[in-house]
Amino acid sequence: MQERPLKERGKATKPSATAEAESAWPLEHRRDLTALAYERIEALFISMRIAPGAEIRTQDLQAMVGIGRTPVHQAVRRLAAETLLEIRPRNGLLVAPIDLSREKRLAELRRDLDRFVTAAAIRNMTSNDRAALHHLKRKLEAEGPAMTVDSFNIIDKSFDDLLIRASGERFLERVLSPLHAIGRRNGYLHLTQISGLDGLTRTVERHVAIMESVLAGDAERACQASDELVEFGISMLVDLEEHVDPALLDIRFATANSAAAVFAPARAGASAPPE
């Protein structure tokens, strides 16, 4: 998925036409449409194409993801239960703003859950799981400087899903999925506004370290590498607190005079190059 300038991402009330959405999101047949709608809306959330704090309508999301009313409504209910969206009766939806204090606390929760899943995955991993993990690791290493934040997030989500599946504790998916989505959104903002290619390289290195330890069956090292990744994410939150415009954390902080500047494209070098 090609990254769009942040200016476009902030305009949640101007979705593409449904036909354009279907072109951008090719319909994957034989997939549960509610699950597909959930994944596509989650991707919009992570990449800030629906801006933190933005007020949107369910109809907007339908047009943006190219999926019909009922699956999108069901996906919205799940996203609301996970606190990524807020349903406001008669007033549409509110995209959860970035609450840095809360998200530092959630990162600590995620650290413990990720450790549990990582260790369990090593114990229960099948040959197919190992083959899939080798594939993801090769993709991360092969794409290198050509990788965008969006393409990295696709691989990262596949990696998280693989570990949860391999762990045999699938009930954790409903807890970890929103925690990972929140973490990816924070990372997306940091990488596109502050750390750029250098930050993406360091992020990839930490993920590869976890993958290598899991494939080696070294649970202690894998859990340590997982902890280091979460600590890296917390350091990003500290950077955002000190250096980012508050309107990027919550669009409602933007004033009429500052909105254009806030939602301009990221500074030169902040985003990975396009695919």
Side-chain angles (χ1 to χ4, degrees):
M1 186 190 305
Q2 187 78 14
E3 290 179 20
R4 298 187 218 171
L6 199 55
K7 181 178 181 180
E8 295 181 20
R9 295 201 296 270
K11 294 182 178 179
T13 59
K14 289 187 64 178
S16 303
T18 301
E20 294 176 351
E22 289 175 347
S23 174
W25 304 93
L27 186 61
E28 301 173 35
H29 296 291
R30 298 183 298 277
R31 289 287 307 279
D32 174 77
L33 286 179
T34 298
L36 193 58
Y38 175 90
E39 290 177 6
R40 291 181 178 182
I41 297 170
E42 181 190 60
L44 296 173
F45 172 90
I46 290 167
S47 62
M48 299 174 67
R49 287 165 173 84
I50 50 176
E55 296 180 355
I56 59 175
R57 302 173 302 162
T58 304
Q59 298 96 306
D60 298 335
L61 293 178
Q62 288 174 229
M64 295 172 84
V65 303
I67 298 177
R69 181 177 183 276
T70 298
V72 169
H73 271 272
Q74 292 171 342
V76 163
R77 283 199 292 269
R78 177 179 168 187
L79 289 157
E82 294 173 348
T83 74
L84 304 188
L85 297 177
E86 179 185 337
I87 298 174
R88 311 175 82 187
R90 297 180 297 280
N91 290 307
L93 308 170
L94 178 72
V95 181
I98 296 176
D99 181 338
L100 294 173
S101 296
R102 174 180 183 253
E103 291 171 24
K104 287 175 189 175
R105 297 193 299 271
L106 292 180
E108 295 173 0
L109 172 61
R110 174 189 160 191
R111 176 172 50 208
D112 293 338
L113 294 175
D114 279 348
R115 285 178 62 89
F116 178 88
V117 168
T118 300
I122 291 174
R123 291 194 302 270
N124 300 318
M125 187 166 283
T126 67
S127 296
N128 286 348
D129 294 329
R130 291 178 62 82
L133 183 52
H134 275 294
H135 174 69
L136 292 175
K137 178 174 173 289
R138 285 194 298 269
K139 282 181 67 67
L140 275 183
E141 293 172 331
E143 291 199 23
M147 182 177 293
T148 66
V149 183
D150 280 326
S151 60
F152 165 75
N153 279 333
I154 291 171
I155 297 173
D156 185 34
K157 180 174 175 59
S158 296
F159 175 47
D160 288 335
D161 291 346
L162 188 157
L163 288 186
I164 292 171
R165 181 174 66 251
S167 74
E169 299 294 349
R170 296 296 299 276
F171 73 91
L172 282 174
E173 181 178 355
R174 285 299 182 97
V175 178
L176 274 172
S177 178
L179 291 177
H180 288 152
I182 288 169
R184 286 192 194 99
R185 183 173 68 166
N186 295 332
Y188 191 96
L189 181 57
H190 193 281
L191 294 172
T192 57
Q193 296 295 315
I194 297 176
S195 57
L197 285 171
D198 178 63
L200 184 58
T201 298
R202 287 182 286 151
T203 299
V204 169
E205 288 172 349
R206 283 162 172 79
H207 281 79
V208 170
I210 300 171
M211 293 175 175
E212 289 176 342
S213 298
V214 170
L215 289 169
D218 187 340
E220 181 178 357
R221 178 67 190 109
C223 289
Q224 180 182 345
S226 179
D227 287 352
E228 291 171 357
L229 176 62
V230 173
E231 289 300 324
F232 183 59
I234 292 173
S235 73
M236 286 184 166
L237 294 174
V238 174
D239 283 346
L240 291 175
E241 186 175 47
E242 295 176 354
H243 302 297
V244 81
D245 191 310
L248 290 173
L249 307 177
D250 188 336
I251 194 173
R252 292 168 295 182
F253 282 117
T255 65
N257 293 331
S258 69
V262 167
F263 293 103
R267 62 181 175 80
S271 296
E275 292 177 304

